Amino acid sequence: MEAAALEEAAAAGGARGSRTGSRGGIRVLKRNMKCNGSRNCLNRRSRFGSRERDWLKEDVGRGCVYIYGADSATATSSDLHLVLCTVDTLASEICDGEGRENLYLQLHGDLVRRLEPTERPLQIVYEYLAGLGFEDLVRIQEEAANSDLSCMIRFYNEKPCQVEQLDRILLSGVYNVRKGKTQLHKWAERLVVLCGTCLIVSSVKDCHTGKMHVLPLVGGKVEEVKRRQHSLAFSSAGAQAQTYHVCFETLAEYQRWHRQASTVVSQRLSTVDLSCYSLEEVPEHLFYSQDITYLNLRHNFMRLDGSGGLDSLCRCPSPWYFVSLLLQSNEIFRFSQLKGLNLSHNMLGELPILLCEISTLTELNISCNGLHHLPSQIGNLFNLQTLCLDGNFLTSLPEELGNLQQLCSLGLSFNNFSEVPVVCEKLTALDKLAMAGNQLETLNLGMLNRMSHIRYVDLRLNHLWRLSVDSLEGNKSVTHMDLRDNQLTDLDLSFLGSLEQLHCERNQLRELTLSGFSLRALYANTNCLMTVNVYPVPSLLTCLEISRNQLLCIPDWACEAKKLEVLDMSYNLLTELPSRTLSSLSLRKLMVGHNHVQSLPSLLEHIPLEVLDLQHNLITKLPEMFFFKALNLRYLNASANSLESLPSVCPGEESLSMLQLLYLTNNNLTDQCIPDLVGHANLRVLHLANNQLQTFPASKLSKLEQLEELNLSGNKLKTIPTTIANCKQLHTLIAHSNEISIFPEILHLPCIQFVDLSCNELTEIVIPEVLPATLQELDLTGNTNLVLEHKTLDIFSHIATLKIDAKPSLTADSVLSSALWNHGLAEMAGQRNKLCVSALALGSFADSVEAVYGMFDGDRNEELPRLLQCTMADVLLEEVQQSNIDSVFMSNTFLVSHRKLGMAGQKLGSSAVLCYIRHDATDLAGSFTLTLANVGTCQAILCRSGKPLPLSKVFSLEQYPEEARRVKEQKAIITEDNKVNGVTCCTRMLGCTYLHPWILPKPHVYSIPLTVQDELLLLGNKALWEHLSYTEAVTAVRHLHDPLAAAKKVCTLAQSYGCQDNVGAMVVCLNIGEDSCTCEMHGLTLPGPGGVISTAKPTTPSSSSGIASEFSSELSASEVSSEVGSTASDEHSGAGLDAGLVPRPERRCSLHPVPPSSIFQRQPSCATFSSNQSDNGLDSDDEQPVEGVMTNGSKVEVEVDIHCCKGKSLEPRPPGAEEGSPAAGSEDDSGGFFFRIQRQNSVNSNILLAGTKERCELQKSPSTCCLYGKKLSNGSIVPLEESLNLIEVATEVPKKKTGYFAAPTQLEPEDQFVVPPDLEEEVKEQIKQHHGSGAEQEPKEKAAMSPPNEFDTAL
C-alpha cells in the first residue's frame, strides 16, 4: 500500500528516478522546479501537489528534501529538485537517484560539508528543527517541507563555491608569459598558478612532468606593465630577484590577479589564510610554498588522511607534481619552515599523530574539534610554545606533555576537567593556567605553591564552591586571579601576597579576605558581601568596584588607600559618606548611587574629583561650597534625590567650574535653582526633568551658550524662552509632558537634531520656510489641540522622523478595545546615530477584542527589529488559528518568525518580547488572559495592585545560570566579556543562526489571567531595565492617565540615570473591570427572530461580537421582503419570538456569572441611512457635524453599538441594587438605548460609555446628543417600544414610531416597504402569530416579576 501510494505520487510529480529505501520500499521522488532569485526560495507554483501531500500525511517519518544545484547560491534561476524520502533514506540513495557522487549540506548560508553515504538528510533536518524548539512531529514535518528553511539548512548536489573564495585559494590560467625584466626573452604561452605565497609557471603541454618555475612573492613586488595592456610584472624579494611578466586577456582577470598578488606581497611573514573555505584537503599547489611559516585552516572540514589530508602536511602525498622531487631526493617532503598551524573548528574528533612530527611548530591551535584525548606523541613537539585545546571534551592530559619545557601558554578552557591536571606542575615555562568553563568544584590552593611559575589563573565559569589550603606557606607567584561566575560563599586569599588583581563577580560571597601588599584592582560586584578585609592597607590600590552588595559603610582601608582613583560602591546600604573619602587627593571617580546617603560632608580643601554619581539616595542639599571646592568636576548625577536647591558656583568671583554633564532629574527643584546654573559656563548636558519648574528665566538660559542637550520634560513649563536661540551648539531638546502652548524658536538653531515636544498643549506652529538640514526627528504626539496645515506638513516632510497623532479607527471592536486598554510608545536613540529598537502595537487584533504588543531590540542592527515589527503579528494570527494552547502557538510564532528572517537572520540577531491579550481559551466569552513570550533581554512586567509582577525571563549569561550551563555543555567559547563566541551576551535570540546551537530562538512562554487589580503592562528593552528597577518604573507611571506620557517618562528616567544607548518603552493601560468587561451582560442586545442580509455592501462580521449588518436605501423593497419572508417561512414557520431565536451559550466573564433566567445576547449593528437633504449628511437644523458620523457623498455612516436592555436605563443605580431585583428598573426604562461612541479628535480619549452612566453625561457629547434626543431628517434613532418584531416594524413604518429607526421625514420610493403579492399571505400569517404570542407572554412577565430579559436580533 505504501509503495503504491508513492508510485502514484511519483507519477503525478514526474519522477525521473527512484531507489528503494530501507523503510518498506519507500522511493525517492524528484521534480524539477524553478527557484526564486531574490530569496532562493520556491515560488507558490513550484510546491508539490496534493498527492504528494497526502502521501506525507500518512506517516510523520516521511518528508521532502530540497536539493539545489551548485550555482543556486549566485544564479538568479536554476534547477531545484524536490526529493520525497523518509527519515531512514540514506544520502547514498539520494545521490544514486540524482546521478551524483556526493550530497552536500550547508548550514546558515555558511560552510558546506560533504555528507557521508550513511548519513540521513531528512533525519538531519528533523533533528535541526527539534533543536530549534519544535516539539510536535507533524509540525516538524510541515516545517521541513517549507522552502524558506533553505536559509538555515540546505542541500546541494554539487559543492558550491563563490568566485571570490576560489580566487583566495588558487588562481590559475594559460597566459602569455615573458621571463626577466629585459626584452631578451620572448613571450610564450605558459600555465600560471598563484597559490599560497608563490607564483608557479610551467609548460602547458608538459605541465605534469616538465620543468616548473616557482617564484616566492612575500616581500616582493607586483607592478603594472604600462607598455602592454592588462599585464603585470611579478618580482620576488632579495638581491637576486626574478621577474615574470604575465599578460591577461581581460580587464577582469587582470584585476583579480593584481588584487590577490598585492595581498601576498604585502605580507611580512609567509602567512597563508585558508580559513572558512569549507576545505576538505590542502590545495595541491600549496606544497610549492616552501617558505610558509603560518598556515590557518580554521573552520573547515579537513580530512585526517588521504590525498591532501592533514597527514600530507608532514608526509609527501606523492601526486604527479612531486614525482621529480622524489626521484632527486630520498627524504620525505614536508613544510620545513612551518611554525604556526591553526586547525580549530574542523570536527576532527582526534588529533592526527603525524602532526606531532612537525618539529618546527611553535604554535598549535586545535580547539573546538571534539577531542576526547590527546596522543602521547604530543610530547614530540619540543619547540611548542602555545597550545590551544579549548572547547573539547578532554578530562585528562598525557604525561608526555610535560616534555614541552618551552610551553608558556596552555588553553584548557571549556573542557570537562574536574581537577587541575598534574602534568601542569612539570610545565615550568607555563605562566597562565586557563581553565574557564570546566567542572571544577573544589580547588586546593596549595597546588599553586607547587606551580611557582604560574602567574595568571583563570577559573571563571566553573562550579567552585570551596577553596582549601593545605599549608600556611604563602604564594608569591600568582598576580592575577579570575573566579567569576562560581558558587563561592567565603573567600580567603590572604596567603597570595603578590596578588595584584582579583575578579570574583557574580558569586555568593558573604566575606572576602585579601592581602594588600600588592593589590592594585579588586572587582567583587554582584555578591552578598557584608565584610571585605584587606590587610595591610593596599597602598597600590587604584580601582575598587564592590557594587551590588550589602555593605553598610565604606571600609576603613579603602578610605586610607592613597592611590585609589576609582571607587564604585553603588547598590549597597550606605548611610553616610566619610569625609576622608570625598576629600581624597587621588580619587577621580566616585560611584555611590542607589544607597541611603542623606547628606555629603563639607569640603575643606580642593579635590581632584572628576566624576560623581549620587543618584537614588536621600540627599536634600549639597554642601554650600561644593562646586567651589570641586573645580575639576566634569560629571555630576544627583537624580532621584530630594534636592530642593543647588549651591552657588563661585561667590564673588568669576566661575572656574569645569562641569559639563549635570543630571538633576526627579528631584524637588524649583525656579529658584536656575540662577545657580549660570555659573557653569561649560555645561553641555543638562537634565532637569520631573521637577517643579514653572518658568525658565530667559536671561539665564542665554548664558548657557555651550549647551548641547537640554531635558526639561515632566515639569509645568508654559513656554521655552526665546533666548534658547543663543544656544548655538544645542542638538537635543526634550520638553515633553509640560504645559507648553507656544512652539519654541528652535528651528533656527544650526545644530538641532532631535526635538521632543510631545504631551503638551501646542495649538499651532510657526516655522521658517526652510528647516535646518541637521534636524532628524520631531515629536509632536500627544498635543490634542494641535492642527497642522498642509503647508506645514509639506515642510516637515523633509524630516527623517516626524511623529504626530494618528487618526483613530472607528470600528466597533476598536472602540471596545480602546476602553479596555490603550498604549503609549516611546523610543529614544540616545547617543547612538541610529535607532535599533522597534515596537508592535495592535489594540484591536484580528478584528476582535484582542490586543498584541511587542518590543524588539537589535542591539547594533536596525534591520531585524523592523522585519519582526512587520511580520510577527501575521505569524501569530496564523498560529492562533492552528492551536489554542498558549505555549504552542506562542513558541511556534517565535520559531516561524525566526525562519522568516531569511538571510538577514543568518548573521544578525534581535531580542523580542510579545504580549497577546485574548479571551481565555477555555472560556472564549469570559475573562481575558495575557500570554507573554520573550527571548533575549527585552522584558515585560505587569502592575498588579500597585506592585510589579515580572512576566519574562532574561536570557543572558549573567542572569540565567541554567542557560550559561547549557551553552557551556555545547562547547561554546565564552569570552572574558561574557559573550558567546565574543558576539552577544544573549543565549536566546531571533536570528544569529550562524551561532546555532548555542543561540536558540525558543522563547519563554507565560500566561496569566487578567483581573481588576491589573493596572498597566510595561514593556522595555535591555537599556531600560538596566537603569530602572521594576518597582521604580511602576511607581513612576501608575498615577499617569496618559500612556504616552508614561512611556516618555520611563525613557527619560533611564537616560537621566546614565543610559546612553537606544531605549524603548511601551506602557499599556489596562481597564479590566466591571464597567468594561466584554460579557454580554454589559453588551449590546437586540430583539428579533432573524436578520436582514444586505446585498449592496456587506460588512465583515467581527469575531468577537456576533453579526455586523448594513442597512442601505439602495436595497430594493422586493429584496427586503423576499429575505424576510424566506427567513420566516423556512427557518421559523409557525413559531413566535422564542422559537425564532437560535440557542447559543451566553458570553460572560468571571465577574458576571450566568443567572438562572434566560437572557438573550448582544448583537452590534452598523447601520447606513440615505440622506436627501445635503451632501455632508446634515440638514438645516444641524449646526455642526455629528461626531461619530462619517459622511460619504449622500450617505451618512453611523457606527454605534445599540443596547436594547429591558429593565436597564441610563439613569444611575444605587450601588446596592442588584440586576434581578424589582427596584433595579421600571417600565419607563425598559426601552433604553446604550451607545458606544469613539471620539475622533483624540487618541487617548476613547471612552466606553457604560449603561450605568448618567443621562446628562451622555448628552454632553455632540454625537450622543443628536442620537439620543434629537431627530435628524436623514434617519434618526428613537427608543424601542414594546413591539420587538422586525417584520412588524418594517410593515408599519412610518405610521407608527416604533422599532429601531424612525423613518425619514420625506419618504422616497425606495424607502417604502413593499411586500410582493406572492408573499403577502405568508407575512400576514407570521404577524398574526407574533401578536398572539406577545399578548400571552406580557401578563405572565408582569405577574412573575422576573428578572429583565435582554433581547437579541441579528440585523
Side-chain angles (χ1 to χ4, degrees):
M1 182 69 66
E2 224 173 318
L6 184 57
E7 287 177 1
E8 293 181 2
R16 296 190 304 172
S18 63
R19 182 176 177 86
T20 303
S22 60
R23 185 168 179 167
I26 300 301
R27 297 182 178 181
V28 179
L29 173 70
K30 180 170 59 177
R31 296 183 60 185
N32 289 331
M33 299 181 180
K34 290 299 180 180
C35 186
N36 187 347
S38 61
R39 285 289 180 181
N40 296 327
C41 298
L42 292 178
N43 294 322
R44 292 183 179 272
R45 295 176 298 176
S46 63
R47 300 186 183 273
F48 46 82
S50 58
R51 292 189 178 183
E52 290 91 333
R53 293 184 183 276
D54 294 339
W55 179 79
L56 294 179
K57 292 179 180 178
E58 294 177 3
D59 187 356
V60 293
R62 299 174 178 178
C64 65
V65 174
Y66 294 97
I67 300 181
Y68 292 77
D71 58 344
S72 297
T74 56
T76 58
S77 179
S78 62
D79 287 341
L80 174 64
H81 303 296
L82 176 64
V83 177
L84 296 181
C85 57
T86 70
V87 292
D88 295 328
T89 303
L90 303 178
S92 59
E93 299 178 30
I94 297 179
C95 290
D96 293 342
E98 291 284 320
R100 302 286 182 177
E101 295 183 359
N102 295 302
L103 195 64
Y104 295 88
L105 170 65
Q106 183 185 42
L107 293 177
H108 321 122
D110 197 3
L111 302 183
V112 180
R113 177 177 69 87
R114 179 175 57 86
L115 293 179
E116 296 295 331
T118 57
E119 292 188 83
R120 296 174 172 84
L122 186 60
Q123 182 66 23
I124 293 175
V125 177
Y126 280 14
E127 291 177 355
Y128 180 86
L129 292 173
L132 288 181
F134 289 104
E135 298 178 356
D136 183 58
L137 294 179
V138 177
R139 185 56 188 265
I140 290 177
Q141 185 186 51
E142 295 176 358
E143 287 294 317
N146 197 309
S147 59
D148 291 342
L149 195 64
S150 61
C151 294
M152 294 189 288
I153 182 169
R154 176 181 293 195
F155 295 94
Y156 291 93
N157 54 21
E158 294 181 15
K159 186 176 181 179
C161 194
Q162 298 180 359
V163 177
E164 296 180 356
Q165 291 185 353
L166 292 175
D167 291 350
R168 297 191 189 103
I169 298 173
L170 181 141
L171 285 174
S172 63
V174 178
Y175 307 105
N176 290 326
V177 179
R178 191 189 72 188
K179 182 180 179 180
K181 296 182 179 181
T182 63
Q183 297 184 1
L184 298 177
H185 298 83
K186 297 182 179 180
W187 292 88
E189 194 175 63
R190 294 288 184 268
L191 176 63
V192 184
V193 178
L194 176 61
C195 182
T197 61
C198 297
L199 184 73
I200 305 170
V201 181
S202 62
S203 173
V204 178
K205 295 182 180 180
D206 303 326
C207 60
H208 289 194
T209 59
K211 185 178 180 181
M212 297 182 181
H213 300 272
V214 180
L215 184 68
L217 294 179
V218 176
K221 295 180 180 179
V222 54
E223 300 174 327
E224 179 184 2
V225 179
K226 297 182 180 180
R227 296 182 180 180
R228 194 176 183 92
Q229 190 179 17
H230 303 158
S231 297
L232 291 174
F234 297 89
S235 303
S236 61
Q240 299 179 352
Q242 294 182 350
T243 302
Y244 281 89
H245 295 258
V246 182
C247 181
F248 302 96
E249 296 180 358
T250 64
L251 176 62
E253 289 183 333
Y254 165 83
Q255 292 175 343
R256 288 169 54 200
W257 282 75
H258 187 269
R259 180 170 56 250
Q260 184 63 21
S262 299
T263 304
V264 176
V265 299
S266 62
Q267 297 177 170
R268 294 184 178 182
L269 300 176
S270 297
T271 302
V272 176
D273 187 0
L274 297 178
S275 61
C276 305
Y277 287 151
S278 303
L279 296 178
E280 296 183 5
E281 58 185 21
V282 180
E284 55 186 16
H285 290 88
L286 188 65
F287 293 98
Y288 282 102
S289 302
Q290 294 293 302
D291 58 342
I292 292 180
T293 58
Y294 185 85
L295 179 60
N296 186 1
L297 295 173
R298 181 184 65 88
H299 225 104
N300 286 288
F301 302 102
M302 299 299 300
R303 298 200 307 266
L304 296 178
D305 51 13
S307 177
L310 292 179
D311 291 346
S312 62
L313 295 178
C314 46
R315 292 188 183 275
C316 176
S318 300
W320 53 263
Y321 50 87
F322 285 129
V323 173
S324 59
L325 293 177
L326 289 174
L327 294 176
Q328 299 174 6
S329 174
N330 293 327
E331 297 182 359
I332 297 177
F333 172 81
R334 65 187 68 201
F335 288 110
S336 59
Q337 301 182 26
L338 187 63
K339 295 184 178 180
L341 178 60
N342 189 342
L343 291 173
S344 62
H345 295 88
N346 269 277
M347 302 174 61
L348 297 178
E350 59 180 346
L351 178 65
I353 298 178
L354 290 178
L355 286 181
C356 301
E357 298 181 8
I358 307 178
S359 58
T360 57
L361 280 180
T362 60
E363 180 180 345
L364 178 60
N365 188 340
I366 50 176
S367 61
C368 301
N369 275 292
L371 304 181
H372 288 79
H373 66 276
L374 289 180
S376 58
Q377 290 83 352
I378 192 72
N380 297 333
L381 300 175
F382 298 105
N383 295 317
L384 201 62
Q385 300 177 8
T386 301
L387 177 60
C388 186
L389 299 170
D390 300 333
N392 286 291
F393 297 92
L394 299 175
T395 57
S396 61
L397 297 178
E399 294 182 2
E400 289 78 5
L401 195 66
N403 300 334
L404 308 182
Q405 293 301 308
Q406 297 187 34
L407 192 65
C408 58
S409 177
L410 177 61
L412 301 176
S413 298
F414 302 100
N415 280 276
N416 295 339
F417 291 101
S418 58
E419 59 182 5
V420 178
V422 181
V423 71
C424 293
E425 299 179 10
K426 300 180 182 180
L427 301 175
T428 56
L430 192 65
D431 65 345
K432 182 176 183 179
L433 180 63
M435 295 191 65
N438 279 277
Q439 300 177 7
L440 276 68
E441 295 184 358
T442 61
L443 178 64
N444 188 350
L445 296 177
M447 177 203 59
L448 297 178
N449 294 333
R450 298 190 295 270
M451 293 188 297
S452 58
H453 46 278
I454 297 294
R455 298 182 61 234
Y456 300 88
V457 179
D458 184 3
L459 297 176
R460 58 191 175 88
L461 291 165
N462 275 275
H463 304 154
L464 290 173
W465 61 275
R466 184 172 64 90
L467 301 182
S468 60
V469 181
D470 56 2
S471 66
L472 299 178
E473 182 182 358
N475 183 289
K476 298 182 180 180
S477 60
V478 177
T479 59
H480 293 73
M481 180 168 283
D482 194 341
L483 299 173
R484 285 177 289 175
D485 298 286
N486 280 283
Q487 302 171 15
L488 298 170
T489 56
D490 296 286
L491 184 58
D492 186 353
L493 299 178
S494 57
F495 79 104
L496 298 179
S498 300
L499 187 64
E500 298 179 4
Q501 178 176 298
L502 173 64
H503 280 278
C504 57
E505 300 99 307
R506 293 179 297 278
N507 279 273
Q508 302 171 17
L509 294 175
R510 295 188 299 267
E511 185 175 355
L512 176 62
T513 303
L514 300 174
S515 171
F517 285 108
S518 304
L519 191 63
R520 297 177 181 269
L522 172 59
Y523 305 93
N525 304 325
T526 317
N527 281 284
C528 305
L529 287 172
M530 303 179 66
T531 304
V532 180
N533 299 316
V534 178
Y535 182 82
V537 175
S539 58
L540 301 177
L541 185 66
T542 59
C543 181
L544 176 59
E545 296 186 6
I546 45 179
S547 64
R548 299 185 184 274
N549 283 283
Q550 300 177 13
L551 297 172
L552 298 175
C553 60
I554 298 178
D556 292 336
W557 55 265
C559 301
E560 298 175 3
K562 302 300 182 183
K563 294 186 178 181
L564 186 63
E565 297 181 359
V566 177
L567 176 59
D568 187 356
M569 293 284 296
S570 56
Y571 292 95
N572 277 282
L573 304 175
L574 305 182
T575 57
E576 61 179 359
L577 198 60
S579 176
R580 51 182 176 171
T581 298
L582 192 61
S583 303
S584 173
L585 298 180
S586 61
L587 197 61
R588 298 291 187 272
K589 182 178 181 180
L590 177 60
M591 313 288 287
V592 289
H594 297 272
N595 282 281
H596 305 296
V597 179
Q598 299 181 2
S599 62
L600 297 183
S602 301
L603 297 177
L604 302 178
E605 299 179 356
H606 291 280
I607 57 174
L609 195 65
E610 298 178 2
V611 176
L612 178 59
D613 190 344
L614 301 171
Q615 62 175 298
H616 289 87
N617 279 284
L618 305 175
I619 302 174
T620 58
K621 184 179 180 181
L622 294 176
E624 189 64 30
M625 302 296 291
F626 179 75
F627 289 122
F628 180 69
K629 297 296 183 181
L631 294 178
N632 291 332
L633 193 65
R634 288 175 169 80
Y635 174 95
L636 173 61
N637 194 332
S639 301
N641 279 280
S642 302
L643 295 176
E644 299 179 355
S645 61
L646 295 177
S648 58
V649 182
C650 295
E653 58 182 78
E654 186 178 356
S655 172
L656 299 176
S657 173
M658 300 294 294
L659 190 64
Q660 299 181 11
L661 293 89
L662 180 58
Y663 297 90
L664 299 171
T665 295
N666 208 7
N667 280 283
N668 299 321
L669 298 175
T670 61
D671 304 347
Q672 298 178 357
C673 73
I674 301 300
D676 297 325
L677 298 174
V678 178
H680 304 289
N682 297 310
L683 205 60
R684 296 189 298 108
V685 177
L686 176 60
H687 281 220
L688 290 170
N690 299 323
N691 280 283
Q692 305 297 326
L693 301 181
Q694 296 184 356
T695 60
F696 201 114
S699 60
K700 309 302 179 183
L701 183 59
S702 63
K703 297 182 180 180
L704 300 177
E705 298 180 355
Q706 302 298 321
L707 206 59
E708 299 177 7
E709 179 179 333
L710 178 60
N711 193 327
L712 299 173
S713 58
N715 285 283
K716 300 178 181 179
L717 298 176
K718 304 289 186 182
T719 60
I720 301 293
T722 57
T723 53
I724 196 173
N726 293 343
C727 305
K728 302 296 184 181
Q729 306 297 324
L730 190 69
H731 58 72
T732 300
L733 174 62
I734 304 176
H736 63 80
S737 306
N738 279 281
E739 301 173 3
I740 301 174
S741 58
I742 302 176
F743 192 82
E745 299 181 7
I746 54 175
L747 298 182
H748 298 280
L749 298 176
C751 301
I752 193 68
Q753 298 179 9
F754 177 83
V755 179
D756 187 353
L757 293 172
S758 58
C759 302
N760 278 285
E761 299 178 0
L762 295 176
T763 56
E764 60 179 356
I765 300 179
V766 180
I767 59 174
E769 293 293 335
V770 180
L771 296 178
T774 57
L775 186 59
Q776 299 178 4
E777 181 172 340
L778 177 60
D779 193 345
L780 300 175
T781 54
N783 290 276
T784 56
N785 298 322
L786 179 62
V787 178
L788 297 179
E789 299 178 353
H790 290 290
K791 180 180 179 181
T792 304
L793 291 175
D794 290 340
I795 298 176
F796 282 160
S797 62
H798 302 288
I799 304 176
T801 304
L802 174 63
K803 298 180 180 180
I804 57 177
D805 289 331
K807 205 169 185 179
S809 61
L810 278 176
T811 63
D813 288 326
S814 65
V815 175
L816 180 57
S817 299
S818 64
L820 296 173
W821 46 71
N822 55 344
H823 74 278
L825 172 65
E827 298 169 337
M828 298 181 180
Q831 296 187 5
R832 299 263 298 277
N833 57 358
K834 62 179 181 179
L835 183 64
C836 300
V837 178
S838 295
L840 171 64
L842 296 175
S844 179
F845 178 63
D847 297 329
S848 62
V849 188
E850 297 179 349
V852 173
Y853 300 101
M855 181 74 67
F856 315 105
D857 186 358
D859 192 17
R860 299 293 175 182
N861 78 89
E862 56 185 345
E863 182 178 359
L864 254 60
R866 293 182 180 179
L867 287 175
L868 294 171
Q869 179 188 32
C870 297
T871 61
M872 210 160 190
D874 296 334
V875 176
L876 176 61
L877 183 60
E878 295 176 0
E879 295 300 329
V880 169
Q881 296 172 355
Q882 297 185 24
S883 175
N884 289 328
I885 304 175
D886 50 7
S887 60
V888 174
F889 67 72
M890 287 300 274
S891 293
N892 290 345
T893 297
F894 274 65
L895 298 178
V896 173
S897 299
H898 176 75
R899 167 172 56 81
K900 286 182 174 292
L901 292 175
M903 289 182 289
Q906 292 176 350
K907 301 298 182 182
L908 305 177
S910 175
S911 299
V913 59
L914 190 67
C915 299
Y916 178 31
I917 303 177
R918 66 186 184 109
H919 288 289
D920 191 347
T922 59
D923 184 11
L924 297 178
S927 60
F928 288 100
T929 298
L930 171 63
T931 302
L932 173 140
N934 82 290
V935 293
T937 54
C938 290
Q939 301 180 61
I941 62 172
L942 181 67
C943 176
R944 174 168 288 181
S945 300
K947 297 181 180 180
L949 178 62
L951 305 176
S952 50
K953 289 186 178 180
V954 182
F955 289 100
S956 67
L957 293 172
E958 297 181 357
Q959 302 186 42
Y960 206 148
E962 291 81 2
E963 283 292 291
R965 189 177 302 113
R966 177 187 64 84
V967 172
K968 282 170 48 183
E969 292 175 354
Q970 293 172 339
K971 300 306 173 185
I973 303 299
I974 301 177
T975 54
E976 292 187 359
D977 56 352
N978 252 17
K979 292 185 177 180
V980 180
N981 281 20
V983 177
T984 176
C985 64
C986 297
T987 59
R988 299 198 185 188
M989 298 175 68
L990 297 181
C992 278
T993 56
Y994 79 105
L995 292 177
H996 177 84
W998 310 308
I999 306 298
L1000 297 177
K1002 185 176 182 180
H1004 159 72
V1005 181
Y1006 181 74
S1007 295
I1008 182 173
L1010 294 180
T1011 65
V1012 180
Q1013 289 78 25
D1014 296 326
E1015 302 174 17
L1016 57 88
L1017 179 67
L1018 180 55
L1019 290 73
N1021 68 329
K1022 175 184 177 182
L1024 178 72
W1025 301 118
E1026 280 184 344
H1027 297 85
L1028 208 63
S1029 66
Y1030 299 148
T1031 303
E1032 184 178 5
V1034 167
T1035 305
V1037 301
R1038 63 179 301 235
H1039 65 281
L1040 298 177
H1041 301 291
D1042 185 358
L1044 176 61
K1048 291 282 186 180
K1049 183 174 182 179
V1050 293
C1051 286
T1052 297
L1053 291 178
Q1055 287 188 330
S1056 296
Y1057 297 162
C1059 177
Q1060 299 180 357
D1061 208 340
N1062 290 169
V1063 58
M1066 181 185 296
V1067 176
V1068 183
C1069 293
L1070 302 175
N1071 187 21
I1072 310 297
E1074 285 277 349
D1075 57 346
S1076 58
C1077 69
T1078 59
C1079 69
E1080 299 181 354
M1081 171 181 169
H1082 290 269
L1084 171 66
T1085 56
L1086 295 175
V1092 178
I1093 303 175
S1094 172
T1095 59
K1097 185 179 178 183
T1099 304
T1100 304
S1102 172
S1103 60
S1104 65
S1105 56
I1107 303 173
S1109 304
E1110 177 176 323
F1111 280 75
S1112 175
S1113 62
E1114 298 175 3
L1115 186 66
S1116 65
S1118 60
E1119 290 173 335
V1120 173
S1121 61
S1122 175
E1123 292 292 336
V1124 172
S1126 61
T1127 302
S1129 60
D1130 296 342
E1131 297 181 7
H1132 315 293
S1133 58
L1137 179 62
D1138 295 338
L1141 291 172
V1142 179
R1144 56 188 174 98
E1146 183 182 8
R1147 191 175 69 194
R1148 287 298 185 95
C1149 67
S1150 59
L1151 299 174
H1152 306 103
V1154 180
S1157 61
S1158 59
I1159 298 178
F1160 298 103
Q1161 294 184 347
R1162 55 167 296 204
Q1163 296 259 346
S1165 167
C1166 177
T1168 303
F1169 308 94
S1170 69
S1171 172
N1172 299 316
Q1173 306 300 318
S1174 61
D1175 292 336
N1176 60 358
L1178 306 175
D1179 17 306
S1180 57
D1181 296 334
D1182 295 325
E1183 299 177 356
Q1184 57 183 355
V1186 181
E1187 196 170 11
V1189 178
M1190 299 177 293
T1191 63
N1192 182 14
S1194 61
K1195 299 178 69 176
V1196 180
E1197 297 183 0
V1198 185
E1199 295 189 15
V1200 295
D1201 280 355
I1202 308 171
H1203 298 234
C1204 177
C1205 301
K1206 186 177 180 181
K1208 286 189 178 182
S1209 69
L1210 295 177
E1211 298 298 332
R1213 274 189 194 176
E1218 295 184 359
E1219 202 170 323
S1221 62
S1226 61
E1227 293 183 1
D1228 296 337
D1229 301 329
S1230 62
F1233 271 76
F1234 287 10
F1235 301 108
R1236 186 175 289 110
I1237 300 167
Q1238 182 178 12
R1239 295 176 57 187
Q1240 300 186 38
N1241 297 330
S1242 176
V1243 176
N1244 301 316
S1245 59
N1246 300 326
I1247 303 173
L1248 181 67
L1249 298 177
T1252 57
K1253 290 193 175 181
E1254 297 185 14
R1255 184 187 301 265
C1256 60
E1257 294 179 355
L1258 184 63
Q1259 292 177 346
K1260 289 181 180 179
S1261 171
S1263 56
T1264 57
C1265 162
C1266 61
L1267 292 175
Y1268 188 82
K1270 183 177 179 181
K1271 179 179 178 182
L1272 301 178
S1273 58
N1274 59 354
S1276 57
I1277 302 175
V1278 298
L1280 283 172
E1281 295 184 4
E1282 293 293 326
S1283 180
L1284 300 174
N1285 193 306
L1286 185 61
I1287 301 177
E1288 179 186 7
V1289 173
T1291 55
E1292 295 185 1
V1293 167
K1295 300 176 183 178
K1296 181 181 179 181
K1297 289 188 177 181
T1298 184
Y1300 295 99
F1301 313 106
T1305 54
Q1306 287 186 341
L1307 293 177
E1308 292 294 324
E1310 60 267 22
D1311 291 331
Q1312 299 179 10
F1313 190 89
V1314 179
V1315 180
D1318 55 341
L1319 296 177
E1320 287 181 357
E1321 295 297 328
E1322 188 175 358
V1323 172
K1324 291 179 180 179
E1325 183 65 22
Q1326 292 188 16
I1327 293 175
K1328 290 179 180 180
Q1329 292 178 1
H1330 173 63
H1331 282 312
S1333 61
E1336 293 176 1
Q1337 288 182 354
E1338 185 175 357
K1340 295 181 181 179
E1341 292 181 356
K1342 292 183 178 179
M1345 296 296 291
S1346 60
N1349 293 334
E1350 296 183 6
F1351 296 96
D1352 183 357
T1353 298
L1355 296 181

